[in-house]
Amino acid sequence: MNGKLLLAGIGGQGVLFAHQLLARCAAEQGYDVTGAETHGMSQRGGAVVSHVKIRSPSSPQPAPSGQLGDAPLIRQGTADFLIAFAETEALRALPFLRRGGTLVVNTASPRFLDDMTRAGLDEHVTVRALDAMAIAERLGRRSVANVVLLGFASTCRAFPLTGDALRAALQGHGSKSWQSNLQAFDEGVRAGSDPHEPSH
Amino acid sequence: MTQAVVLGNEAIARGLIEAGVQVMTAYPGTPSSEILPAVLTWKRRLQLNIHVEWSVNEKVALEVALGASWAGKRAAVAMKQVGLNVASDALLSAAYTGIVGGLVLIVCDDPGPHSSQTEQDTRLFALFAKVPVLDPATPREAKAMAHAAFTLSEQFRVPVILRPTVRVSHARQNVTLADVAARARPAHFKKEPARWAATPRHRLLLHEELNRKLETVEAAFESSPFNRQSELTARRSPLGVIACGVPYASARELLDEFGVTIPVLKIGTVYPLPRKLASDFVARCETVLVLEEPDAAVELQLPDRRNVHGRLDGTVPNAGELTPEVLHAILARLLTKAALLAPAAPASPWADFAKSLALPARPPRLCPGCSHRSAFYALRRIFPSALYAGDIGCYTLGTNLRAVDTCLDMGASITIATGLYQAYRLNDEQQPIVASIGDSTFLHSGVTGLANAVHTGARFVLVILDNGTTAMTGFQPTADDTRLADGSRGPRVAIPKLVRACGVRYLRESDPYDQGEFRAALEEAAAFTRDDDGGVAVVIARRPCVLYDRSPLDAQPIAVEVTDECDGCKYCLVAFECPSLLLNPATDKVEIDRATCVDCGQCIDGCYKGFIIEKEFASPVPGSLFRTP
Ligand code: SF4
Ligand code: SF4
């Protein structure tokens, strides 16, 4: 399984953590992984994008998005998944998504999907929206919204990493709060699998 | 041997460790800051005997490493590209003297630029300094090069520069970690005055020696594994590509995506350029495209550029990062021209849609609760018509509060303020001038400027924003701290004592969170600059960075609320500019964003009408987004 994932958010939302988790998980699964992070000035509340490219070393066949090499950046129009931690950043990073790709977005606005439909984008991309912040708030830790969204993303069709693999990576991450992270992740997975959950 | 997913900078650190580095120095600067901490991590984990220090500036860092090299140790020094400007005096001279233990400089470039004041090309600096330079394309290659750089340095007795760009330094990739053998070399400085203390007559001999060394380095580079040719055919190819670094990795991917096979020469050893290898390649192609960042170091060294296109003839833009989008456009155009590719549709179907949305720009801002904001807000109130000379750090973002009018380089707040003062003095004008500089930057390059300002009779207010750490680059300790890089203790070099020692006669330390007292200190300072007997007045604004040390805030949280009387005048949004103050468009009143507010209470002063007040029952918000990551 090959894949190009673009993460977009705002400095402070845990985009780097999400990137590191995905990259570590991919490596644990035996994939080659490469990608680019945003550090420094732009981290102070600015728009942050992270590029994650996962490639299976044994299968040199190209992904739907093209051949994957060692280049850290994903070219616009070629990302398989865009995981956006804020609505504005989803729209800002939209040019990266390829035709047929999937947008996973954290949004509190039930109108977001309608807006996408009106713009005609849902004909070309799959949009999956979740109010991950509300779930994180329910869990009492707003800072885990990023992990909730990752759990949700892992339920998407053709997502290159399985929920189980990501859970294992979370457990092995060595962070003190892995238990509450795991809980957040599972809530995200539940929201993704449960048709009754208000995932808009 | 194990596998690990690491940042490019961590891969470089691991390469240094595996090569047996014994002295590691650095001054922090994006995108280079993670190298030294990673060396520290492995030093601890593997219990290695390595001296690691955050030096006061890049010149100091390079000289400390060089001294250790002269005593036979393998030494490395890391900095960002503009840091090499500061260290250049040492570098150019060290190229002549040569080294004993391997000396590797890791200098990170920032095409874009993303976090720097210039897009300068360190590879051109290497050419100017006559020092070999390596240009990695990926973290994996950067790690291999870090190791090889030591071998090279010792083989030819020259300093060697490893030059990653931000997209290598901040790339994350799985790399193989090799075993580390503990290496102990004796410290032994062999006296040789004609080299280590050479007079101009000997300097000429050393220059000639350096030229001879570079010839042998170039000969060695002709067969370096860091240079690779692919898809060479017997026929002359209509188009070939010479590429370095990240543009090589991106171009490689694009060519695969296009499904075209053309000759590609990857150059990893940029200076001295293996000219025979490059010339042979150029001769076998009808046209050659050179892709490199951020400037034209390889292209400039090509002996025959008649069929060569690149930065110099405008085929490749001569500023900005070579993103995959930019490279896609260039390659598609040239391949189509050479009839190797059919013209294709633009890649991103929704680029125009996204543009049409006019999304709110997200310029970087000072964090909620940042003590710099409080200091700048007070400055704006006391000095409404001042000229504000700023400096480099988080507090450059004082531009958002219109309390920073200039930003040049490290330490220039003080010297630019001096120049501004002298200009207005010539016209007998009393123009209020305020300089602001952070603690780490003051120690880096501010002290000399301050001594000069005092000595030459300049008059302005200098605010030293002392938040106890080098916040912008990830909270490295400064010399005004008893903590050293590795957590051990050392004597503190106190900023107030340095200020006094520069001859400053007005000095006050004040907490900018105490707005009343802080403004009083500024007023007094202003008066001192106007006194008959006045001069430079220094106010040290002392308050820890909220991201670095939250304990004072947690001990005394002040939760605030906006009263119903708020009339939506937006004064606080513009003048106080805390990201946690939001205008609710439905009610046209300002609200506190509970997700990000850190309960510092500073915005109470930010509404002059008194509509932001302390909440009666303070309740800290759990898990705020802006807590220490
Ligand atoms: S990191 Fe610290 S110094 Fe920098 S903007 Fe945030 S609070 Fe201010
Ligand atoms: S209390 Fe006021 S100034 Fe402090 S973080 Fe909250 S909104 Fe910003």
Side-chain angles (χ1 to χ4, degrees):
Chain A
M1 177 76 75
N2 293 343
K4 298 184 187 179
L5 319 179
L6 194 96
L7 316 181
I10 302 164
Q13 279 190 320
V15 178
L16 279 190
F17 179 84
H19 181 149
Q20 286 166 22
L21 183 70
L22 291 167
R24 246 174 39 95
C25 177
E28 280 167 11
Q29 298 296 306
Y31 294 117
D32 255 351
V33 55
T34 186
E37 298 180 353
T38 312
H39 292 238
M41 182 64 111
S42 29
Q43 248 183 300
R44 300 282 176 268
V48 172
V49 290
S50 245
H51 304 238
V52 186
K53 296 165 79 177
I54 299 169
R55 168 183 67 178
S56 129
S58 51
S59 74
Q61 89 274 11
S65 50
Q67 192 80 36
L68 293 179
D70 280 334
L73 295 178
I74 296 171
R75 183 164 51 88
Q76 294 198 352
T78 70
D80 302 304
F81 285 87
L82 166 57
I83 303 177
F85 298 88
E87 218 177 275
T88 50
E89 302 322 296
L91 297 171
R92 205 189 304 277
L94 201 58
F96 283 96
L97 201 56
R98 70 170 165 87
R99 229 175 259 281
T102 303
L103 165 63
V104 180
V105 58
N106 168 33
T107 172
S109 154
R111 286 207 333 269
F112 187 79
L113 277 186
D114 296 344
D115 292 349
M116 294 291 284
T117 313
R118 221 169 305 126
L121 292 177
D122 65 330
E123 285 173 32
H124 309 290
V125 296
T126 308
V127 184
R128 298 202 61 201
L130 176 73
D131 191 348
M133 182 53 92
I135 294 179
E137 261 167 9
R138 191 146 36 76
L139 295 172
R141 283 192 65 212
R142 307 181 63 118
S143 58
V144 297
N146 58 344
V147 184
V148 173
L149 196 67
L150 282 187
F152 182 69
S154 75
T155 65
C156 291
R157 208 165 47 83
F159 196 74
L161 300 167
T162 66
D164 285 344
L166 280 162
R167 284 184 107 253
L170 259 179
Q171 258 160 325
H173 195 269
S175 89
K176 272 176 263 150
S177 44
W178 67 269
Q179 250 167 334
S180 78
N181 276 330
L182 214 55
Q183 193 192 6
F185 186 83
D186 289 342
E187 284 297 311
V189 171
R190 223 163 53 81
S193 338
D194 180 359
H196 301 301
E197 181 77 17
S199 64
H200 317 320
Chain B
M1 286 224 276
T2 50
Q3 282 275 319
V5 181
V6 297
L7 207 58
N9 279 343
E10 294 163 350
I12 290 168
R14 181 66 187 203
L16 300 175
I17 291 274
E18 288 173 14
V21 69
Q22 281 202 277
V23 171
M24 173 82 224
T25 66
Y27 184 79
T30 314
S32 72
S33 309
E34 299 84 5
I35 297 170
L36 183 145
V39 167
L40 265 177
T41 304
W42 277 305
K43 166 191 150 116
R44 281 201 201 104
R45 219 175 276 168
L46 305 169
Q47 302 190 341
L48 302 169
N49 187 19
I50 307 176
H51 170 74
V52 181
E53 70 168 53
W54 287 118
S55 308
V56 160
N57 66 29
E58 294 86 353
K59 177 175 186 287
V60 172
L62 173 54
E63 288 162 357
V64 170
L66 185 62
S69 150
W70 287 357
K73 299 290 186 186
R74 282 198 162 179
V77 49
M79 62 191 72
K80 68 183 295 178
Q81 89 284 40
V82 290
L84 190 57
N85 300 343
V86 177
S88 60
D89 209 359
L91 178 66
L92 272 83
S93 189
Y96 281 34
T97 61
I99 53 87
V100 180
L103 178 70
V104 177
L105 291 83
I106 304 102
V107 186
C108 302
D109 279 359
D110 185 14
H114 297 271
S115 315
S116 310
Q117 61 267 40
T118 70
E119 282 193 298
Q120 66 192 67
D121 192 330
T122 295
R123 304 169 314 154
L124 287 175
F125 214 128
L127 195 141
F128 167 56
K130 296 195 167 182
V131 171
V133 63
L134 305 176
D135 185 352
T138 62
R140 267 177 225 145
E141 193 180 36
K143 176 173 176 285
M145 282 182 172
H147 198 146
F150 274 116
T151 318
L152 201 68
S153 172
E154 280 171 7
Q155 187 182 349
F156 299 101
R157 301 195 61 180
V158 285
V160 173
I161 297 178
L162 173 64
R163 193 296 308 247
T165 59
V166 58
R167 296 303 185 187
V168 172
S169 283
H170 290 164
R172 190 169 286 280
Q173 196 177 39
N174 54 318
V175 303
T176 308
L177 310 185
D179 295 337
V180 177
R183 247 166 288 208
R185 296 183 180 204
H188 175 63
F189 176 74
K190 189 161 152 272
K191 295 194 183 190
E192 191 186 338
R195 177 175 302 277
W196 310 131
T199 54
R201 194 169 54 86
H202 284 113
R203 286 276 164 177
L204 174 64
L205 300 178
L206 290 176
H207 188 185
E208 287 164 354
E209 179 188 273
L210 174 60
N211 290 338
R212 285 193 299 275
K213 285 179 185 172
L214 288 170
E215 274 169 30
T216 52
V217 176
E218 180 175 338
F221 280 175
E222 294 286 352
S223 57
S224 162
F226 297 125
N227 305 321
R228 281 193 302 275
Q229 289 190 68
S230 63
E231 287 108 19
L232 266 193
T233 48
R235 284 187 301 111
R236 246 166 92 91
S237 170
L239 179 66
V241 173
I242 299 182
C244 316
V246 174
Y248 165 76
S250 298
R252 190 65 276 163
E253 242 178 68
L254 282 164
L255 290 173
D256 288 343
E257 187 183 320
F258 291 142
V260 297
T261 306
I262 56 168
V264 177
L265 172 62
K266 178 205 184 291
I267 296 283
T269 66
V270 168
Y271 177 79
L273 183 71
R275 278 173 292 186
K276 185 169 177 315
L277 177 71
S279 300
D280 287 354
F281 182 87
V282 171
R284 298 172 79 154
C285 304
E286 267 155 45
T287 42
V288 169
L289 172 68
V290 185
L291 298 172
E292 52 184 330
E293 277 182 333
D295 218 310
V298 166
E299 198 182 347
L300 271 171
Q301 292 180 81
L302 289 174
D304 180 356
R305 286 204 297 270
R306 274 172 299 177
N307 302 328
V308 172
H309 303 289
R311 300 257 190 200
L312 296 178
D313 74 345
T315 303
V316 177
N318 57 10
E321 187 177 4
L322 294 186
T323 60
E325 292 80 25
V326 173
L327 288 173
H328 183 270
I330 298 169
L331 279 170
R333 197 173 66 236
L334 289 189
L335 287 169
T336 312
K337 207 166 129 199
L340 293 166
L341 187 74
S348 169
W350 9 87
D352 292 338
F353 168 73
K355 237 179 256 154
S356 74
L357 292 175
L359 294 165
R362 277 198 196 283
R365 299 168 75 175
L366 294 168
C367 299
C370 177
S371 54
H372 298 333
R373 174 177 294 103
S374 303
F376 286 135
Y377 182 64
L379 279 170
R380 290 289 304 164
R381 291 183 64 177
I382 302 299
F383 302 98
S385 62
L387 302 179
Y388 291 101
D391 224 299
I392 300 211
C394 285
Y395 46 86
T396 310
L397 298 175
T399 43
N400 295 341
L401 288 98
R402 292 183 296 132
V404 167
D405 295 325
T406 71
C407 169
L408 183 74
D409 64 30
M410 295 285 282
S413 56
I414 298 174
T415 40
I416 291 289
T418 308
L420 290 171
Y421 166 77
Q422 297 297 0
Y424 282 89
R425 187 189 60 85
L426 286 173
N427 290 12
D428 285 325
E429 279 177 54
Q430 282 225 349
Q431 168 63 49
I433 294 163
V434 178
S436 59
I437 190 171
D439 43 353
S440 186
T441 306
F442 178 71
L443 290 160
H444 177 289
S445 291
V447 183
T448 43
L450 182 57
N452 179 75
V454 171
H455 182 61
T456 56
R459 289 166 182 245
F460 54 86
V461 174
L462 168 63
V463 179
I464 300 179
L465 300 156
D466 183 359
N467 62 2
T469 185
T470 318
M472 177 89 252
T473 50
F475 316 113
Q476 296 81 9
T478 72
D480 187 0
D481 195 329
T482 54
R483 275 178 322 134
L484 299 181
D486 60 1
S488 64
R489 299 277 148 180
R492 170 181 171 217
V493 179
I495 289 176
K497 287 188 188 162
L498 276 173
V499 169
R500 289 258 184 236
C502 288
V504 169
R505 286 169 294 122
Y506 180 92
L507 169 65
R508 255 184 83 174
E509 298 178 48
S510 179
D511 178 356
Y513 263 31
D514 190 340
Q515 286 269 341
E517 194 210 291
F518 189 71
R519 284 201 297 267
L522 291 178
E523 259 164 357
E524 244 181 64
F528 182 77
T529 63
R530 292 188 301 261
D531 256 15
D532 287 347
D533 188 28
V536 179
V538 178
V539 175
I540 300 181
R542 202 186 287 285
R543 180 87 195 179
C545 158
V546 277
L547 280 203
Y548 170 65
D549 178 8
R550 268 191 64 118
S551 54
L553 253 191
D554 288 338
Q556 262 185 320
I558 301 178
V560 297
E561 62 188 0
V562 184
T563 70
D564 282 345
E565 293 143 296
C566 170
D567 56 12
C569 76
K570 302 197 187 81
Y571 172 83
C572 64
L573 299 181
V574 175
F576 197 72
E577 197 262 346
C578 174
S580 305
L581 295 171
L582 303 175
L583 186 75
N584 181 335
T587 60
D588 204 30
K589 290 182 193 302
V590 166
E591 284 175 1
I592 309 291
D593 177 14
R594 292 268 150 239
T596 57
C597 168
V598 297
D599 295 336
C600 71
Q602 284 296 298
C603 52
I604 293 174
D605 255 317
C607 173
Y608 65 96
K609 300 169 190 167
F611 297 157
I612 302 181
I613 58 168
E614 180 171 358
K615 239 193 197 172
E616 237 174 306
F617 301 104
S619 61
V621 186
S624 160
L625 286 178
F626 280 89
R627 290 269 157 98
T628 315

